[in-house]
Amino acid sequence: MSKIALIYMGGTFGCVGEPLSPMPEHEFLPRLHRYLPDHLSIECFAAPVIKDSSAYTAVDWLKLAQFIQQLQSQSFQHFVVIHGTDTLSYASAVLARILAASCHLIITGSQFPLLTVDGTTIREETDARDNLWFALEHIFKVDAGVYLAFHHQLFHGRTALKAHTTELDAFRGVASTQAIAQHSQAMTVTETMLERAQNLNILNWMMQPIALEQLEKNLAHVLENAPDFLVLQGFGTGNLVTNPEIIEIFQQLKQKNCLPVLNTQVTAGGIDQRYAVSAWVKEANIAVSDCLGHADLYAKLLALYLQYDQANDWLKHWHE
């Protein structure tokens, strides 16, 4: 049987002590090895970057993807990644976008640490080993691609979303048994990409029911220091009421190399532009999300940013 590369990225899974803090990877990995299934051939690796998952950014996930691509050149094709839950869905979406179907990868984490407070043995009550073993047991069963495993469920990596802060059944998404559109071609991570990703700037706004005049003022402030992407999470199917002044600001943002993107703050169902309130979108000439969730949109923006320099090009290649 092929060997599995098990990559540790930190998170609650590897924490010990009171209050919880990460055990250094050179101490944790030998302990982790004691609790791996004997019937599988597994080699453990420390990820290039290990820290609290809320501190991870695109650069860290690109470094992980680059490390996986290096392991692929050493004949590894099956990967399981242990990651913190805070940004687990973002990590899975980025890996799905970058690695596509070039390998078999399942990412997982846990709500409770694997080890006891003193780090000497496994906890009596923990979801860490169950989640890891579930991922390991399924890595040879899934089609090529990226998946997220949690609480005996397996989701397509593009679709996963953390839906509960503390419960064991914490994630939702499209089950791996259902068909979704997959990215067909992997992106080889380069040092140039890593350098460019350092400067990626995304501003995400969940719209609130405020007067148009106040929205206009808020957008005018953004115009003064425009990000690369301004994501507008509208109501329902993406509904957002505008006026000519707001549409003019959207056009000015593009002139400042900022691409406005219309999304929805609803977690399932996607964008629907049938309603008259959305007729302004064509006039404003902004992007409309066609992604499978918030994390998938983040991964798409990152990929566009790495491939093209200009907002007009991001919009031009939006549906590719």
Side-chain angles (χ1 to χ4, degrees):
M1 183 178 289
S2 300
K3 184 175 289 189
I4 301 168
L6 177 58
I7 303 174
Y8 174 66
M9 288 196 74
T12 299
F13 195 106
C15 284
V16 293
E18 289 181 331
L20 291 174
S21 61
M23 177 181 282
E25 59 270 20
H26 65 274
E27 297 179 20
F28 179 72
L29 288 178
R31 289 170 170 81
L32 172 63
H33 207 273
R34 301 174 193 167
Y35 303 106
L36 299 179
D38 295 331
H39 65 284
L40 295 175
S41 177
I42 303 169
E43 188 168 344
C44 295
F45 299 91
V49 181
I50 297 177
K51 56 188 177 185
D52 187 273
S53 68
S54 62
Y56 278 124
T57 66
V59 177
D60 304 311
W61 296 316
L62 288 172
K63 287 182 178 179
L64 172 62
Q66 185 182 57
F67 182 57
I68 289 169
Q69 289 173 341
Q70 292 168 354
L71 291 176
Q72 285 182 279
S73 68
Q74 301 173 30
S75 299
F76 284 97
Q77 287 301 319
H78 296 83
F79 303 88
V80 172
V81 176
I82 297 171
H83 190 287
T85 61
D86 282 351
T87 53
L88 185 59
S89 60
Y90 288 90
S92 66
V94 170
L95 292 173
R97 178 74 58 166
I98 300 298
L99 298 175
S102 65
C103 64
H104 301 74
L105 188 150
I106 299 178
I107 188 168
T108 190
S110 66
Q111 296 284 53
F112 294 96
L114 175 70
L115 302 176
T116 53
V117 171
D118 60 7
T120 58
T121 188
I122 194 170
R123 284 188 175 221
E124 290 187 8
E125 295 184 4
T126 179
D127 60 331
R129 183 166 68 173
D130 282 350
N131 287 345
L132 177 57
W133 279 45
F134 180 83
L136 291 168
E137 289 168 359
H138 283 81
I139 193 61
F140 291 112
K141 301 175 183 178
V142 295
D143 294 333
V146 175
Y147 305 86
L148 188 150
F150 217 89
H151 195 61
H152 307 289
Q153 298 172 91
L154 194 62
F155 307 112
H156 286 287
R158 289 183 61 198
T159 70
L161 170 72
K162 189 171 185 181
H164 200 284
T165 55
T166 56
E167 287 187 359
L168 300 184
D169 187 10
F171 284 83
R172 297 290 181 268
V174 176
S176 61
T177 54
Q178 299 181 39
I180 67 165
Q182 297 278 19
H183 304 300
S184 59
Q185 188 170 354
M187 296 173 61
T188 301
V189 179
T190 65
E191 293 303 314
T192 300
M193 286 183 178
L194 294 176
E195 292 175 6
R196 179 161 171 77
Q198 291 277 6
N199 297 316
L200 173 64
N201 187 5
I202 301 172
L203 178 59
N204 186 91
W205 270 7
M206 178 183 285
M207 294 293 100
Q208 300 295 309
I210 60 175
L212 279 180
E213 294 78 11
Q214 303 309 318
L215 176 58
E216 184 182 337
K217 290 178 182 179
N218 291 339
L219 286 168
H221 287 301
V222 175
L223 188 60
E224 294 176 6
N225 191 19
D228 299 302
F229 300 94
L230 173 62
V231 179
L232 302 159
Q233 290 181 279
F235 304 101
T237 57
N239 293 325
L240 180 64
V241 178
T242 64
N243 59 25
E245 289 75 20
I246 289 174
I247 292 174
E248 174 63 24
I249 292 176
F250 288 146
Q251 294 169 344
Q252 291 177 26
L253 282 167
K254 284 183 61 184
Q255 294 171 10
K256 288 199 170 186
N257 212 37
C258 168
L259 180 63
V261 181
L262 180 64
N263 195 19
T264 172
Q265 56 192 256
V266 182
T267 55
I271 290 284
D272 187 334
Q273 290 293 286
R274 292 175 298 174
Y275 295 93
V277 73
S278 299
W280 62 271
V281 170
K282 289 185 178 180
E283 181 182 355
N285 194 28
I286 68 172
V288 176
S289 177
D290 56 359
C291 296
L292 300 177
H294 300 312
D296 189 38
L297 176 57
Y298 173 87
K300 178 170 186 168
L301 300 183
L302 170 63
L304 286 168
Y305 181 79
L306 294 176
Q307 294 176 87
Y308 309 103
D309 295 331
Q310 300 298 316
N312 285 332
D313 288 327
W314 300 333
L315 185 59
K316 177 182 177 182
H317 296 280
W318 186 257
H319 294 293
E320 292 182 1

